[in-house]
Amino acid sequence: MALTKVITGVTDLNQAQSTNGLKFPTGSVFAGTPEEGMIRNDQSQSSETSSSAMQFYNGTAWKNFVNKPIPLIVDYLVVAGGGGSGKSNSSGNPSGGGGGGGYLELTSQNIVLSTAQTITVGGGGAGSTVVTANGNNGNDSVFSSTTALGGGGGASSQNVDVDGSTGGSGGGGAGNSGFSSLGGAGTAGQGNDGGDGEDSAGSDNAAGGGGAGSVGVDAAASAAGNGGAGKTTSMFTGALNIQRGGGGGGADGTGNAPGTATGGGGAGAASSAGIGTAGTVNTGGGGGGSSNANGAAGGSGIVIIKYLTADIVSFTVTGTVNTPTPIIDGSHSILVFTTAGTGTITFS
């Protein structure tokens, strides 16, 4: 087969948008006798989302070049909503703090361009309004195939054996006179267990909910348990780099110290002081335990995505989540989803 060479005088091949440039034969069935090394575009074939396929002749048969979607490399943080705290009974026995929302941080993940990815920002769980039920678990947060589980609700003072609820991090046990009230279990890789309530006769103290960074603290006769610590990501700097996923503090029932909280968790209430402090929005913090009151709500979660700015032309967002304005961080862009809801994002 004769060789065709591009010589100095042929300039159209490297002219922008030239109509005189190199073109490959196009069709379905090849007409003629092929030779090894030939290249053509077969319109009777398809490859991924293309309605045709490029082919080469290997000396024996035509073989397709297979299109492969170009992945986008991203880092992301997914934090679920925190659990609400339990309700304190009329005797003033205090309720356990809500568990922090599940916390998942992933780096160097492949996302397919032009393919819609699910995004859900989980709302915080409501505090309990009846002593026969724990605080509500927080709602899950999702990005693509990654799901962070909502924090477990804190135990109410039910005058029966009752434990905090399981979740991303577990809810704290109640101060439950004469009855057992253990902390709920956390989910491995997302959070930790809630603390155990103090269950001797008389007024008692409640435990803290578990956090992404540590277990909730058990209550003692002299003090309520603190909420488990949250976690701080290393993916971001500045205002975004805060602690999230903390458990709510347990409420006090003995006139001693209520449980404290970090990482967006709410502090527990002092003895007979009422409702605990709600978890902070967009941290996934658990609600603080209550004393002689309804439970406190957990804080909503958050989804944050980081990518190289040069890798993206645009993105579109659908659904009830917010459409964020990219935050520029050096060579990277960061998208922060803060509105509780569900939608999709498509990068292109």
Side-chain angles (χ1 to χ4, degrees), residues 278-293:
T280 303
V281 296
N282 297 137
T283 67
S290 296
S291 182
N292 202 29

Side-chain angles (χ1 to χ4, degrees), residues 3-76:
L3 297 178
T4 299
K5 297 182 178 180
V6 177
I7 62 177
T8 303
V10 180
T11 60
D12 285 325
L13 292 179
N14 57 20
Q15 287 184 3
Q17 301 181 23
S18 170
T19 60
N20 300 318
L22 182 64
K23 297 181 180 179
F24 293 106
T26 297
S28 54
V29 178
F30 181 77
T33 302
E35 295 190 40
E36 184 176 357
M38 283 184 172
I39 298 176
R40 66 187 294 266
N41 183 31
D42 191 335
Q43 294 177 317
S44 68
Q45 303 282 325
S46 62
S47 178
E48 294 294 337
T49 58
S50 175
S51 59
S52 63
M54 292 300 298
Q55 296 180 320
F56 72 97
Y57 192 74
N58 67 0
T60 303
W62 288 101
K63 298 294 184 180
N64 287 357
F65 290 106
V66 179
N67 294 330
K68 291 293 183 183
I70 299 173
L72 170 68
I73 309 301
V74 300
D75 302 334
Y76 56 88

Side-chain angles (χ1 to χ4, degrees), residues 138-226:
N139 293 291
D140 299 346
S141 288
V142 179
F143 174 61
S144 189
S145 60
T146 299
T147 300
L149 302 177
S156 294
S157 303
Q158 300 187 30
N159 290 334
V160 295
D161 291 344
V162 60
D163 299 334
S165 299
T166 62
S169 286
N176 206 22
S177 294
F179 297 94
S180 173
S181 187
L182 305 178
T187 300
Q190 297 198 24
N192 292 280
D193 297 348
D196 297 340
E198 196 263 319
D199 61 355
S200 61
S203 295
D204 303 298
N205 291 316
S214 64
V215 298
V217 178
D218 295 344
S222 59
N226 297 332

Side-chain angles (χ1 to χ4, degrees), residues 79-284:
V79 181
S85 64
K87 177 180 172 64
S88 171
N89 65 23
S90 58
S91 300
N93 297 119
S95 65
Y103 185 106
L104 290 170
E105 178 181 340
L106 288 87
T107 59
S108 301
Q109 301 297 300
N110 291 342
I111 298 298
V112 179
L113 292 174
S114 301
T115 300
Q117 306 294 327
T118 298
I119 287 186
T120 300
V121 177
S128 178
T129 59
V130 292
V131 293
T132 53
N134 287 349
N136 291 276
N137 279 23
N139 293 291
D140 299 346
S141 288
V142 179
F143 174 61
S144 189
S145 60
T146 299
T147 300
L149 302 177
S156 294
S157 303
Q158 300 187 30
N159 290 334
V160 295
D161 291 344
V162 60
D163 299 334
S165 299
T166 62
S169 286
N176 206 22
S177 294
F179 297 94
S180 173
S181 187
L182 305 178
T187 300
Q190 297 198 24
N192 292 280
D193 297 348
D196 297 340
E198 196 263 319
D199 61 355
S200 61
S203 295
D204 303 298
N205 291 316
S214 64
V215 298
V217 178
D218 295 344
S222 59
N226 297 332
K231 292 180 74 172
T232 303
T233 178
S234 59
M235 297 191 325
F236 317 117
T237 59
L240 287 177
N241 193 19
I242 63 171
Q243 195 180 118
R244 296 182 171 90
D252 166 51
T254 60
N256 292 296
T260 61
T262 58
S271 179
S272 299
I275 192 169
T277 302
T280 303
V281 296
N282 297 137
T283 67

